[in-house]
Amino acid sequence: MNDFERMIRETLPAGLTCDDMDTLQINLGRRCNLSCVHCHLACSPQRREAMTEPIMEGIIDILSREKFHRVDITGGAPELHPLFRKFVDRIYRTGNPVQVRTNLTVLVELGLNEMIRFFRERQIDLVASLPCYLQENVDSQRGQGVYARSIDAIRALNGAGYGVDPDLDLSLVFNPGGPFLPPPQKRLDADYRAELERRFGIRFSRLIVLTNMPLGRFRQRLEQTGELEGYLQLLAGAYNPATLPGLMCRHQICIDWDGTLFDCDFNLALGMSVNHGTPDRIDAFTPAVLKNRKIVTDIHCFGCTAGAGSSCSGALTEGDDPTLSG
């Protein structure tokens, strides 16, 4: 039993289990036009892993039988997959609400107007990475020139109604620039709105605040600087049991590009597929079993339970403690 498992047993004697399965997250591959220093999947332009059409057919078959509150499309930069539009359109036609995670810059590269029109016509929600409202911080995390291209993309999205029309959701995603916890989500949301409006006249629907997970490139960076152990201790020391009910692993299932099933995107990064007797392949997708599965954990799970908590939808509790942030 790992340290995280021992900690949560004080609140959940049986350990973490799935409460429901309202979100289906689909990772189309590792190819990305960026190589961000915090990326837990180490995505880059050189990566070639990509979901095949037979796996997509299996997902469409599932979605024709099962309804989810959200189908969450991610990557890499999912828009770079050659079958992206065809696949997303088929998901949309199953009647399941679709959300796409975009790095914004890829929209500029692929042609803003055409891609935005595709999203708008299907009322696809967008979750867009913008790890700070300051250019220096964004470019240091994601690459030179990324901030300017991201702002251009948000302006174009606003012009199409995203972040303005209540039916066209545009969420922005913040993550810290170093080994510390994020500030309170509500406070940072207000800062983002004020600064982005003042500087560029742009708007968004809501801010999602994420904690950096000690995985992928961020972990490598911590190892190189000798900060890994201190960061792991910070996460474990900030453990908050109030975050347990909202953990994303308890409300979703993830399908990787090769059809393997995972409890969450972070377990996916580690290759820790669903376990404890649960079938871990898409061709054995059994909702009744998956909805009652036991969650696979390890010490990286402290990243989701530290402070106000962290999930694909942002903070998990209202009790943000600003003394925990850097």
Side-chain angles (χ1 to χ4, degrees):
M1 186 181 295
N2 60 65
D3 289 345
F4 179 80
E5 196 74 28
R6 277 190 285 271
M7 181 73 80
I8 65 172
R9 292 301 176 102
E10 298 176 10
T11 304
L12 301 171
L16 277 184
T17 56
C18 181
D19 279 351
D20 55 47
M21 207 164 62
D22 59 25
T23 298
L24 180 70
Q25 188 173 72
I26 303 168
N27 190 300
L28 292 185
R30 305 292 188 268
R31 186 183 173 204
C32 187
N33 60 316
L34 303 178
S35 298
C36 301
V37 298
H38 65 279
C39 183
H40 62 281
L41 288 170
C43 299
S44 76
Q46 288 72 47
R47 300 289 294 268
R48 290 294 177 263
E49 302 94 323
M51 184 173 286
T52 62
E53 199 158 8
I55 298 295
M56 291 180 172
E57 289 292 341
I59 293 173
I60 296 300
D61 181 62
I62 291 169
L63 293 173
S64 67
R65 293 180 280 109
E66 301 291 328
K67 298 304 177 189
F68 294 85
H69 293 166
R70 179 186 301 113
V71 178
D72 186 14
I73 311 294
T74 185
E79 301 97 324
L80 292 177
H81 194 290
L83 298 176
F84 172 76
R85 295 193 198 190
K86 177 182 176 181
F87 183 50
V88 170
D89 188 58
R90 291 188 67 190
I91 295 174
Y92 166 75
R93 294 181 187 280
T94 67
N96 284 278
V98 183
Q99 171 179 285
V100 171
R101 295 184 180 269
T102 180
N103 66 29
L104 292 173
T105 65
V106 72
L107 302 181
V108 178
E109 294 184 13
L110 293 176
L112 272 169
N113 293 336
E114 187 177 354
M115 186 63 75
I116 292 174
R117 187 181 306 113
F118 174 82
F119 289 145
R120 180 187 170 85
E121 288 174 352
R122 292 153 186 81
Q123 291 195 320
I124 291 171
D125 291 342
L126 298 178
V127 177
S129 180
L130 190 72
C132 189
Y133 50 75
L134 299 175
Q135 178 175 350
E136 180 181 358
N137 293 348
V138 173
D139 285 356
S140 67
Q141 277 197 49
R142 311 188 68 206
Q144 203 65 31
V146 167
Y147 182 79
R149 284 182 286 158
S150 298
I151 295 300
D152 287 345
I154 297 173
R155 279 175 164 158
L157 287 165
N158 280 177
Y162 272 96
V164 180
D165 185 331
D167 293 327
L168 295 171
D169 195 89
L170 173 62
S171 298
L172 300 184
V173 179
F174 163 89
N175 66 279
F180 43 83
L181 295 183
Q185 185 164 286
K186 284 186 176 180
R187 187 182 77 194
L188 194 58
D189 184 293
D191 292 344
Y192 261 69
R193 290 184 189 280
E195 290 297 322
L196 292 177
E197 172 69 28
R198 180 179 67 83
R199 294 164 185 262
F200 308 107
I202 57 180
R203 298 165 61 182
F204 61 96
S205 305
R206 65 190 176 114
L207 184 70
I208 293 173
V209 170
L210 299 182
T211 299
N212 285 328
M213 298 297 288
L215 305 171
R217 290 200 189 100
F218 187 66
R219 183 184 182 94
Q220 293 172 2
R221 179 180 170 189
L222 294 177
E223 290 173 338
Q224 292 167 357
T225 58
E227 297 174 290
L228 176 60
E229 189 58 35
Y231 188 61
L232 292 175
Q233 290 177 4
L234 170 68
L235 296 179
Y239 169 72
N240 179 0
T243 62
L244 295 178
L247 292 177
M248 59 186 174
C249 58
R250 308 188 73 182
H251 303 277
Q252 70 175 27
I253 191 75
C254 298
I255 304 177
D256 201 6
W257 66 271
D258 63 355
T260 305
L261 305 180
F262 295 87
D263 295 311
C264 70
D265 193 50
F266 302 128
N267 282 3
L268 182 154
L270 290 167
M272 296 168 49
S273 62
V274 295
N275 205 333
H276 307 292
T278 305
D280 66 355
R281 296 286 306 171
I282 187 176
D283 51 9
F285 194 97
T286 310
V289 175
L290 291 168
K291 289 177 182 178
N292 293 283
R293 72 189 188 277
K294 188 175 183 299
I295 306 299
V296 178
T297 68
D298 209 336
I299 59 171
H300 66 283
C301 299
F302 280 119
C304 291
T305 59
S310 180
S311 76
C312 287
S313 298
L316 297 173
T317 69
E318 294 293 333
D320 308 63
D321 183 354
T323 65
L324 295 174
S325 60

